[in-house]
Amino acid sequence: MPDLGDFAAAVLSSYGVTIVLLAALIALSARSARQARARLNRAEQQDKDRAGRG
Amino acid sequence: MDVSFEGDYIAAMSIWSYANPKKFIATTTPIMPWLWALAIGLTVAGLVWGFFFTPDARGFGANVKIIFVHVPSALMAINAWLMMLVASLIWLIRRHHVSALAAKAAAPVGLVMTLIALVTGAIWGQVTWTTWWVWDARLTAFFVLFLFYLGYIALWSALEDPDTAADLTSILVMVGSVFAVLSRYAVVFWGDQGLHQPASFSMDRETNISSVYWWPSVLAMAGFVLLFIVLVILRTRTEIRLRRAAALERRAYAEAAQRGQVVDA
């Protein structure tokens, strides 16, 4: 760990905010990607089932 | 048809063919793992190098390490909006849905980049110049850009018809672009009033910052650019799938209604 002197709080909070916000953005984007894929798979399966019946 | 014209024509056609949602997903699927690895690898390398292996700077002390998160995020905050402008113009002119969805997908990423730049800039300002904020041209334009990001996202959510939403948000992007450009060039237009100096990064060795800080900065900036690209692709794919799912659900609902199987809540 480098010696940050009087600037420790400023530097660490800057990196902390950046990492937390980027990690949250990546996690939320990945979650909505998973949910969208599942919703489309469900809709396509129901569409196929209907076509099979019809 | 002239041979060279035919060649140009085919090249142009191949660019626009990526506006086909199916082709967009098929093309981006194999490159996503590589893009993720490169984006995260470069970002981590730039930040680790900048945080652990750069010396204190005269006049700034260890505070200079904030540059490695502040500059890349500010860069992407502005360029994300410019990418949204290009995508919105393509939507308005050529009506390609993927470009409208790409602009929509980029907005939250740009918003987060703007927020990071605002927060880290305020921290930098407080430690270096003992002020969190001044209403100079660049900071004010940057804050207005942040509000435009919020307005853009809110407008997409507020309108039910996706084509109307794409039209209106595209116009909003054009208006907001004034502030994106002002954020970048305010120092050039009005001199170095306020907290910002003229550009620290340039190809001119005389005016450029020391290479001790330049290399990790470039790595971090490349990482943030790739992170933006990979997130926009991921989120565009999500938007394409949601739109397709919504269309299928609407069709199923309409067929059920025709058969009299729909019970209103």
Side-chain angles (χ1 to χ4, degrees):
Chain A
M1 179 79 176
D3 177 19
L4 301 171
D6 294 342
F7 302 110
V11 174
L12 290 175
S13 54
S14 292
Y15 276 74
V17 165
T18 304
I19 289 164
V20 166
L21 285 176
L22 285 182
L25 176 67
I26 292 170
L28 288 175
S29 302
R31 193 181 70 166
S32 41
R34 259 198 319 275
Q35 287 172 343
R37 210 167 28 235
R39 185 177 155 189
L40 179 57
N41 286 343
R42 229 177 9 253
E44 282 181 337
Q45 191 54 51
Q46 284 168 357
D47 195 54
K48 261 188 216 155
D49 292 348
R50 270 200 320 280
R53 280 201 305 270
Chain B
M1 188 184 283
D2 182 86
V3 172
S4 64
F5 174 77
E6 191 175 47
D8 291 348
Y9 181 71
I10 290 166
M13 284 301 292
S14 64
I15 289 170
W16 296 117
S17 68
Y18 291 101
N20 176 307
K22 233 176 165 174
K23 181 156 186 188
F24 181 83
I25 287 186
T27 310
T28 52
T29 299
I31 60 169
M32 286 301 272
W34 299 100
L35 267 180
W36 272 116
L38 206 56
I40 291 176
L42 283 175
T43 305
V44 169
L47 295 188
V48 166
W49 187 350
F51 184 82
F52 288 100
F53 305 110
T54 52
D56 292 358
R58 198 166 1 106
F60 290 102
N63 204 26
V64 73
K65 293 178 192 294
I66 296 177
I67 200 176
F68 306 111
V69 288
H70 178 67
V71 172
S73 55
L75 170 89
M76 288 322 300
I78 295 168
N79 286 309
W81 193 270
L82 297 180
M83 172 260 155
M84 286 161 61
L85 172 66
V86 173
S88 300
L89 288 174
I90 292 172
W91 161 253
L92 286 177
I93 295 164
R94 297 190 66 108
R95 311 305 280 180
H96 288 311
H97 285 97
V98 170
S99 70
L101 295 179
K104 182 186 182 188
V109 187
L111 177 74
V112 168
M113 294 294 181
T114 313
L115 190 58
I116 292 172
L118 282 171
V119 172
T120 55
I123 294 170
W124 179 305
Q126 168 60 24
V127 176
T128 309
W129 297 287
T130 66
T131 181
W132 296 100
W133 186 263
V134 291
W135 292 101
D136 68 12
R138 172 175 270 190
L139 290 188
T140 306
F142 205 78
F143 183 67
V144 175
L145 182 64
F146 176 71
L147 298 181
F148 262 93
Y149 271 118
L150 290 176
Y152 179 92
I153 293 167
L155 192 54
W156 261 109
S157 318
L159 295 169
E160 229 168 84
D161 177 50
D163 284 4
T164 310
D167 284 341
L168 295 181
T169 51
S170 295
I171 293 164
L172 188 75
V173 169
M174 284 193 275
V175 179
S177 298
V178 174
F179 295 95
V181 172
L182 279 183
S183 303
R184 174 70 184 82
Y185 292 107
V187 179
V188 178
F189 295 155
W190 292 291
D192 58 346
Q193 47 150 320
L195 302 182
H196 284 92
Q197 67 212 24
S200 303
F201 294 88
S202 83
M203 301 309 285
D204 179 3
R205 289 184 75 86
E206 293 293 311
T207 56
N208 205 0
I209 60 167
S210 160
S211 58
V212 174
Y213 305 111
W214 193 80
W215 283 110
S217 299
V218 168
L219 268 187
M221 284 192 279
F224 273 56
V225 169
L226 283 173
L227 213 47
F228 171 75
I229 291 171
V230 74
L231 279 167
V232 170
I233 294 175
L234 175 73
R235 298 180 69 92
T236 305
R237 289 157 57 96
T238 300
E239 293 294 338
I240 289 170
R241 287 183 170 127
L242 286 176
R243 186 172 284 206
R244 167 95 180 125
L248 289 173
E249 286 161 5
R250 268 199 308 276
R251 189 162 78 186
Y253 185 86
E255 286 175 10
Q258 251 180 355
R259 291 194 301 269
Q261 290 175 347
V262 173
V263 180
D264 285 331

Short mmCIF file of all heavy atoms in Angstrom, two decimals, chain B residues 85-126:
data_model
loop_
_atom_site.label_atom_id
_atom_site.label_comp_id
_atom_site.label_asym_id
_atom_site.label_seq_id
_atom_site.Cartn_x
_atom_site.Cartn_y
_atom_site.Cartn_z
N LEU B 85 -25.34 10.70 -29.84
CA LEU B 85 -25.73 11.64 -30.90
C LEU B 85 -25.65 10.96 -32.27
O LEU B 85 -26.59 11.05 -33.07
CB LEU B 85 -24.81 12.87 -30.86
CG LEU B 85 -24.98 13.86 -32.02
CD1 LEU B 85 -26.35 14.53 -31.97
CD2 LEU B 85 -23.89 14.93 -32.00
N VAL B 86 -24.52 10.27 -32.53
CA VAL B 86 -24.36 9.60 -33.82
C VAL B 86 -25.45 8.54 -34.01
O VAL B 86 -26.11 8.47 -35.05
CB VAL B 86 -22.95 8.97 -33.93
CG1 VAL B 86 -22.82 8.14 -35.19
CG2 VAL B 86 -21.89 10.06 -33.91
N ALA B 87 -25.66 7.72 -32.97
CA ALA B 87 -26.67 6.66 -33.06
C ALA B 87 -28.07 7.25 -33.26
O ALA B 87 -28.87 6.72 -34.03
CB ALA B 87 -26.63 5.80 -31.80
N SER B 88 -28.35 8.37 -32.60
CA SER B 88 -29.66 9.00 -32.72
C SER B 88 -29.86 9.57 -34.13
O SER B 88 -30.96 9.49 -34.69
CB SER B 88 -29.82 10.13 -31.70
OG SER B 88 -29.70 9.60 -30.41
N LEU B 89 -28.80 10.15 -34.69
CA LEU B 89 -28.90 10.68 -36.05
C LEU B 89 -29.15 9.55 -37.05
O LEU B 89 -29.94 9.69 -37.99
CB LEU B 89 -27.63 11.46 -36.42
CG LEU B 89 -27.47 12.81 -35.72
CD1 LEU B 89 -26.12 13.44 -36.04
CD2 LEU B 89 -28.59 13.77 -36.12
N ILE B 90 -28.48 8.42 -36.83
CA ILE B 90 -28.70 7.26 -37.71
C ILE B 90 -30.17 6.82 -37.61
O ILE B 90 -30.81 6.52 -38.62
CB ILE B 90 -27.74 6.10 -37.35
CG1 ILE B 90 -26.30 6.48 -37.70
CG2 ILE B 90 -28.14 4.81 -38.08
CD1 ILE B 90 -25.26 5.49 -37.22
N TRP B 91 -30.70 6.81 -36.39
CA TRP B 91 -32.12 6.46 -36.21
C TRP B 91 -33.02 7.45 -36.97
O TRP B 91 -33.92 7.05 -37.72
CB TRP B 91 -32.49 6.43 -34.73
CG TRP B 91 -33.98 6.54 -34.52
CD1 TRP B 91 -34.67 7.61 -34.04
CD2 TRP B 91 -34.97 5.54 -34.82
NE1 TRP B 91 -36.01 7.36 -34.03
CE2 TRP B 91 -36.24 6.10 -34.50
CE3 TRP B 91 -34.92 4.24 -35.33
CZ2 TRP B 91 -37.43 5.40 -34.67
CZ3 TRP B 91 -36.12 3.54 -35.51
CH2 TRP B 91 -37.34 4.12 -35.17
N LEU B 92 -32.75 8.74 -36.77
CA LEU B 92 -33.63 9.75 -37.39
C LEU B 92 -33.57 9.69 -38.92
O LEU B 92 -34.57 9.87 -39.60
CB LEU B 92 -33.24 11.15 -36.91
CG LEU B 92 -33.64 11.50 -35.48
CD1 LEU B 92 -33.12 12.88 -35.11
CD2 LEU B 92 -35.15 11.43 -35.28
N ILE B 93 -32.37 9.43 -39.46
CA ILE B 93 -32.20 9.47 -40.91
C ILE B 93 -32.56 8.13 -41.56
O ILE B 93 -33.27 8.08 -42.54
CB ILE B 93 -30.75 9.88 -41.26
CG1 ILE B 93 -30.49 11.31 -40.77
CG2 ILE B 93 -30.51 9.80 -42.76
CD1 ILE B 93 -29.04 11.70 -40.71
N ARG B 94 -32.06 7.04 -40.97
CA ARG B 94 -32.23 5.73 -41.65
C ARG B 94 -33.22 4.81 -40.97
O ARG B 94 -33.51 3.72 -41.49
CB ARG B 94 -30.86 5.04 -41.77
CG ARG B 94 -29.88 5.81 -42.64
CD ARG B 94 -28.66 4.98 -42.93
NE ARG B 94 -28.99 3.83 -43.74
CZ ARG B 94 -28.65 3.70 -45.03
NH1 ARG B 94 -27.97 4.64 -45.62
NH2 ARG B 94 -28.98 2.62 -45.69
N ARG B 95 -33.73 5.18 -39.79
CA ARG B 95 -34.74 4.40 -39.05
C ARG B 95 -34.25 2.97 -38.73
O ARG B 95 -35.02 2.02 -38.83
CB ARG B 95 -36.08 4.32 -39.81
CG ARG B 95 -36.62 5.63 -40.33
CD ARG B 95 -36.77 6.68 -39.26
NE ARG B 95 -37.95 6.57 -38.42
CZ ARG B 95 -38.24 7.42 -37.43
NH1 ARG B 95 -37.42 8.43 -37.16
NH2 ARG B 95 -39.31 7.29 -36.70
N HIS B 96 -32.99 2.84 -38.35
CA HIS B 96 -32.51 1.53 -37.91
C HIS B 96 -32.78 1.40 -36.41
O HIS B 96 -32.22 2.17 -35.62
CB HIS B 96 -31.00 1.38 -38.17
CG HIS B 96 -30.66 1.22 -39.61
ND1 HIS B 96 -31.30 0.31 -40.42
CD2 HIS B 96 -29.74 1.84 -40.39
CE1 HIS B 96 -30.80 0.39 -41.64
NE2 HIS B 96 -29.86 1.31 -41.64
N HIS B 97 -33.59 0.39 -36.04
CA HIS B 97 -33.96 0.26 -34.62
C HIS B 97 -32.76 -0.02 -33.73
O HIS B 97 -32.71 0.45 -32.60
CB HIS B 97 -35.00 -0.86 -34.46
CG HIS B 97 -36.35 -0.45 -34.93
ND1 HIS B 97 -36.84 -0.76 -36.17
CD2 HIS B 97 -37.31 0.30 -34.34
CE1 HIS B 97 -38.04 -0.25 -36.33
NE2 HIS B 97 -38.36 0.41 -35.23
N VAL B 98 -31.79 -0.79 -34.23
CA VAL B 98 -30.63 -1.13 -33.39
C VAL B 98 -29.88 0.13 -32.96
O VAL B 98 -29.41 0.23 -31.82
CB VAL B 98 -29.68 -2.11 -34.12
CG1 VAL B 98 -28.38 -2.27 -33.35
CG2 VAL B 98 -30.35 -3.46 -34.27
N SER B 99 -29.81 1.13 -33.83
CA SER B 99 -29.07 2.34 -33.46
C SER B 99 -29.82 3.12 -32.38
O SER B 99 -29.21 3.67 -31.46
CB SER B 99 -28.77 3.20 -34.68
OG SER B 99 -29.94 3.78 -35.17
N ALA B 100 -31.17 3.15 -32.47
CA ALA B 100 -31.94 3.82 -31.41
C ALA B 100 -31.76 3.08 -30.09
O ALA B 100 -31.60 3.70 -29.03
CB ALA B 100 -33.41 3.86 -31.80
N LEU B 101 -31.75 1.74 -30.17
CA LEU B 101 -31.58 0.95 -28.94
C LEU B 101 -30.16 1.08 -28.39
O LEU B 101 -29.97 1.05 -27.17
CB LEU B 101 -31.92 -0.52 -29.21
CG LEU B 101 -33.38 -0.80 -29.58
CD1 LEU B 101 -33.60 -2.28 -29.87
CD2 LEU B 101 -34.33 -0.33 -28.48
N ALA B 102 -29.18 1.25 -29.27
CA ALA B 102 -27.79 1.43 -28.80
C ALA B 102 -27.66 2.76 -28.06
O ALA B 102 -26.97 2.84 -27.03
CB ALA B 102 -26.83 1.39 -29.98
N ALA B 103 -28.34 3.80 -28.56
CA ALA B 103 -28.30 5.10 -27.86
C ALA B 103 -28.95 4.96 -26.49
O ALA B 103 -28.41 5.44 -25.48
CB ALA B 103 -29.03 6.15 -28.70
N LYS B 104 -30.09 4.26 -26.45
CA LYS B 104 -30.79 4.05 -25.17
C LYS B 104 -29.89 3.26 -24.20
O LYS B 104 -29.82 3.57 -23.01
CB LYS B 104 -32.09 3.28 -25.43
CG LYS B 104 -32.91 3.03 -24.20
CD LYS B 104 -34.12 2.15 -24.51
CE LYS B 104 -34.97 1.95 -23.25
NZ LYS B 104 -36.03 0.95 -23.47
N ALA B 105 -29.20 2.24 -24.76
CA ALA B 105 -28.34 1.39 -23.93
C ALA B 105 -27.14 2.15 -23.37
O ALA B 105 -26.64 1.84 -22.29
CB ALA B 105 -27.86 0.21 -24.77
N ALA B 106 -26.68 3.16 -24.11
CA ALA B 106 -25.47 3.89 -23.69
C ALA B 106 -25.75 4.88 -22.56
O ALA B 106 -24.83 5.23 -21.80
CB ALA B 106 -24.89 4.64 -24.88
N ALA B 107 -27.01 5.33 -22.45
CA ALA B 107 -27.30 6.41 -21.50
C ALA B 107 -26.94 6.09 -20.03
O ALA B 107 -26.27 6.90 -19.38
CB ALA B 107 -28.76 6.83 -21.63
N PRO B 108 -27.35 4.93 -19.50
CA PRO B 108 -26.99 4.67 -18.09
C PRO B 108 -25.47 4.56 -17.89
O PRO B 108 -24.96 4.94 -16.84
CB PRO B 108 -27.67 3.33 -17.80
CG PRO B 108 -28.75 3.21 -18.81
CD PRO B 108 -28.24 3.89 -20.05
N VAL B 109 -24.78 4.06 -18.92
CA VAL B 109 -23.31 3.95 -18.81
C VAL B 109 -22.71 5.36 -18.76
O VAL B 109 -21.85 5.66 -17.93
CB VAL B 109 -22.72 3.14 -19.99
CG1 VAL B 109 -21.25 2.88 -19.77
CG2 VAL B 109 -23.48 1.83 -20.19
N GLY B 110 -23.19 6.23 -19.66
CA GLY B 110 -22.72 7.61 -19.67
C GLY B 110 -23.05 8.33 -18.37
O GLY B 110 -22.25 9.11 -17.85
N LEU B 111 -24.25 8.04 -17.84
CA LEU B 111 -24.66 8.67 -16.57
C LEU B 111 -23.71 8.29 -15.44
O LEU B 111 -23.28 9.15 -14.66
CB LEU B 111 -26.10 8.23 -16.23
CG LEU B 111 -26.63 8.76 -14.90
CD1 LEU B 111 -26.98 10.24 -15.00
CD2 LEU B 111 -27.87 7.98 -14.45
N VAL B 112 -23.37 7.01 -15.36
CA VAL B 112 -22.45 6.55 -14.30
C VAL B 112 -21.07 7.18 -14.47
O VAL B 112 -20.45 7.63 -13.50
CB VAL B 112 -22.37 5.00 -14.28
CG1 VAL B 112 -21.22 4.52 -13.40
CG2 VAL B 112 -23.68 4.41 -13.79
N MET B 113 -20.60 7.26 -15.72
CA MET B 113 -19.29 7.89 -15.97
C MET B 113 -19.32 9.36 -15.54
O MET B 113 -18.36 9.87 -14.95
CB MET B 113 -18.94 7.80 -17.46
CG MET B 113 -18.70 6.39 -17.96
SD MET B 113 -17.24 5.64 -17.22
CE MET B 113 -17.22 4.04 -18.03
N THR B 114 -20.43 10.04 -15.84
CA THR B 114 -20.56 11.46 -15.46
C THR B 114 -20.56 11.60 -13.95
O THR B 114 -19.91 12.51 -13.40
CB THR B 114 -21.86 12.06 -16.04
OG1 THR B 114 -21.96 11.69 -17.42
CG2 THR B 114 -21.89 13.57 -15.94
N LEU B 115 -21.28 10.71 -13.28
CA LEU B 115 -21.33 10.76 -11.82
C LEU B 115 -19.95 10.54 -11.20
O LEU B 115 -19.55 11.25 -10.28
CB LEU B 115 -22.34 9.70 -11.32
CG LEU B 115 -22.71 9.74 -9.86
CD1 LEU B 115 -23.30 11.10 -9.46
CD2 LEU B 115 -23.73 8.63 -9.54
N ILE B 116 -19.23 9.56 -11.74
CA ILE B 116 -17.87 9.29 -11.23
C ILE B 116 -16.99 10.53 -11.42
O ILE B 116 -16.26 10.94 -10.50
CB ILE B 116 -17.23 8.08 -11.96
CG1 ILE B 116 -17.95 6.79 -11.59
CG2 ILE B 116 -15.75 7.96 -11.61
CD1 ILE B 116 -17.53 5.57 -12.40
N ALA B 117 -17.08 11.14 -12.61
CA ALA B 117 -16.25 12.32 -12.89
C ALA B 117 -16.63 13.48 -11.96
O ALA B 117 -15.75 14.20 -11.46
CB ALA B 117 -16.41 12.74 -14.34
N LEU B 118 -17.93 13.66 -11.71
CA LEU B 118 -18.37 14.75 -10.82
C LEU B 118 -17.86 14.53 -9.39
O LEU B 118 -17.33 15.46 -8.76
CB LEU B 118 -19.90 14.84 -10.82
CG LEU B 118 -20.55 15.51 -12.04
CD1 LEU B 118 -22.07 15.33 -11.99
CD2 LEU B 118 -20.21 17.00 -12.09
N VAL B 119 -18.03 13.30 -8.89
CA VAL B 119 -17.65 13.02 -7.49
C VAL B 119 -16.13 13.10 -7.32
O VAL B 119 -15.64 13.77 -6.39
CB VAL B 119 -18.18 11.62 -7.05
CG1 VAL B 119 -17.63 11.24 -5.70
CG2 VAL B 119 -19.70 11.61 -7.04
N THR B 120 -15.38 12.45 -8.22
CA THR B 120 -13.92 12.46 -8.06
C THR B 120 -13.35 13.86 -8.31
O THR B 120 -12.38 14.26 -7.67
CB THR B 120 -13.24 11.44 -9.02
OG1 THR B 120 -13.65 11.72 -10.36
CG2 THR B 120 -13.61 10.02 -8.67
N GLY B 121 -13.99 14.61 -9.20
CA GLY B 121 -13.56 15.99 -9.43
C GLY B 121 -13.80 16.87 -8.21
O GLY B 121 -12.96 17.71 -7.86
N ALA B 122 -14.95 16.65 -7.56
CA ALA B 122 -15.25 17.43 -6.35
C ALA B 122 -14.26 17.12 -5.24
O ALA B 122 -13.78 18.02 -4.54
CB ALA B 122 -16.68 17.14 -5.90
N ILE B 123 -13.93 15.83 -5.10
CA ILE B 123 -12.95 15.42 -4.07
C ILE B 123 -11.59 16.06 -4.38
O ILE B 123 -10.93 16.61 -3.50
CB ILE B 123 -12.85 13.87 -4.00
CG1 ILE B 123 -14.17 13.28 -3.50
CG2 ILE B 123 -11.70 13.45 -3.11
CD1 ILE B 123 -14.27 11.77 -3.62
N TRP B 124 -11.19 15.97 -5.63
CA TRP B 124 -9.91 16.57 -6.08
C TRP B 124 -9.90 18.08 -5.77
O TRP B 124 -8.94 18.62 -5.22
CB TRP B 124 -9.75 16.33 -7.58
CG TRP B 124 -8.50 16.88 -8.20
CD1 TRP B 124 -8.07 18.18 -8.15
CD2 TRP B 124 -7.53 16.17 -8.95
NE1 TRP B 124 -6.89 18.32 -8.84
CE2 TRP B 124 -6.54 17.10 -9.35
CE3 TRP B 124 -7.40 14.85 -9.35
CZ2 TRP B 124 -5.44 16.74 -10.13
CZ3 TRP B 124 -6.30 14.51 -10.12
CH2 TRP B 124 -5.33 15.43 -10.50
N GLY B 125 -11.00 18.75 -6.12
CA GLY B 125 -11.10 20.20 -5.90
C GLY B 125 -11.02 20.57 -4.43
O GLY B 125 -10.34 21.54 -4.05
N GLN B 126 -11.69 19.77 -3.60
CA GLN B 126 -11.70 20.06 -2.16
C GLN B 126 -10.28 19.96 -1.58
O GLN B 126 -9.85 20.82 -0.81
CB GLN B 126 -12.66 19.09 -1.45
CG GLN B 126 -12.57 19.08 0.06
CD GLN B 126 -12.86 20.44 0.68
OE1 GLN B 126 -13.55 21.28 0.07
NE2 GLN B 126 -12.34 20.69 1.86
#
